[in-house]
Amino acid sequence: PVKFRIYPKDFMTVTPLAAGFKVHWGKVNGAHSVYLIRWDNVTRQWSSPLYYKCLSTGESTKYTYTDKTVVSGIKYIYKVVVRDKKLNVIWHHRITKTFYDPPAFQSVKNTSSGIKLVWGQVSGINQYRVYRKTVGGTWKSLKTTGYLSYTDKTAKKGTTYIYAVRCMSKDGKTKLSQYRASKKIKRK
């Protein structure tokens, strides 16, 4: 009988990047070959393997693959299949994700009440998270909003900032896209 391996839920991850997804999976003991395929909701079919490797004895199957061939608003299913020397499937897992382009800034400008940010709508998204940092600083979350603009009323005069915005889930808890940063702006 084939012994199917059980691994933790986070053993495989699919993380949004600015222009695609990073697919990562951990080491599977007894692996002889590994491949990654993708279901495309537009074409309604599985891809030829995006990644395939035949392993030598003792070689790790811990890999990362970056998929840059995705389109915003499309749902994809990524599946990793690992086989032993007899080509029996000893582990497989799949994750479903929809890719969203990061929102693009339309304007970032000083107003009398603060720095006003305006960005474009991303189809299928109704929540956005706004971040801010000083030059050389770290990102700080400012607000999750359903609007396409935000005014940072806490920006200090004379300080230069960089802002970013990303797509969030309806409940505002899950990051659905990478963020896109603005140009530097000094608060007047």
Side-chain angles (χ1 to χ4, degrees):
V2 175
K3 185 173 182 182
F4 191 77
R5 315 287 196 279
I6 306 295
Y7 291 93
K9 192 174 185 176
D10 64 352
F11 191 74
M12 178 183 172
T13 58
V14 177
T15 308
L17 303 172
F21 282 121
K22 179 173 79 171
V23 183
H24 174 80
W25 61 96
K27 181 180 179 181
V28 177
N29 296 323
H32 177 69
S33 64
V34 59
Y35 66 92
L36 169 68
I37 56 176
R38 180 186 79 188
W39 176 263
D40 185 322
N41 243 15
V42 172
T43 62
R44 309 286 302 155
Q45 60 187 336
W46 289 102
S47 66
S48 359
L50 298 172
Y51 177 89
Y52 175 81
K53 182 152 187 188
C54 193
L55 307 169
S56 53
T57 306
E59 188 177 353
S60 171
T61 59
K62 184 177 181 180
Y63 292 103
T64 298
Y65 176 81
T66 302
D67 183 3
K68 295 181 180 179
T69 63
V70 296
V71 176
S72 188
I74 303 297
K75 184 185 292 185
Y76 298 96
I77 301 170
Y78 291 92
K79 184 175 182 178
V80 173
V81 178
V82 179
R83 296 179 182 271
D84 64 13
K85 285 183 182 180
K86 294 181 181 178
L87 301 180
N88 297 306
V89 174
I90 58 173
W91 182 81
H92 69 87
H93 190 68
R94 68 184 191 181
I95 295 177
T96 302
K97 292 275 185 169
T98 301
F99 179 75
Y100 296 101
D101 282 324
F105 282 104
Q106 294 177 343
S107 66
V108 178
K109 61 184 178 183
N110 276 287
T111 66
S112 59
S113 57
I115 297 176
K116 184 174 182 177
L117 315 168
V118 179
W119 57 89
Q121 172 78 40
V122 175
S123 181
I125 298 297
N126 57 21
Q127 290 290 313
Y128 301 89
R129 182 163 297 155
V130 180
Y131 299 86
R132 176 185 81 186
K133 73 175 185 172
T134 55
V135 176
T138 57
W139 291 110
K140 175 186 172 191
S141 176
L142 294 178
K143 175 92 173 164
T144 299
T145 179
Y147 296 105
L148 298 175
S149 66
Y150 173 75
T151 301
D152 181 5
K153 297 177 181 177
T154 63
K156 296 178 184 174
K157 290 186 178 182
T159 303
T160 300
Y161 296 101
I162 301 169
Y163 291 88
V165 65
R166 74 170 5 131
C167 301
M168 299 297 292
S169 60
K170 284 183 182 180
D171 64 6
K173 294 180 182 177
T174 304
K175 300 170 187 170
L176 298 180
S177 78
Q178 186 58 267
Y179 61 80
R180 181 166 291 162
S182 71
K183 294 180 180 178
K184 299 175 194 174
I185 184 167
K186 187 174 186 176
R187 175 72 173 116
K188 294 180 183 177

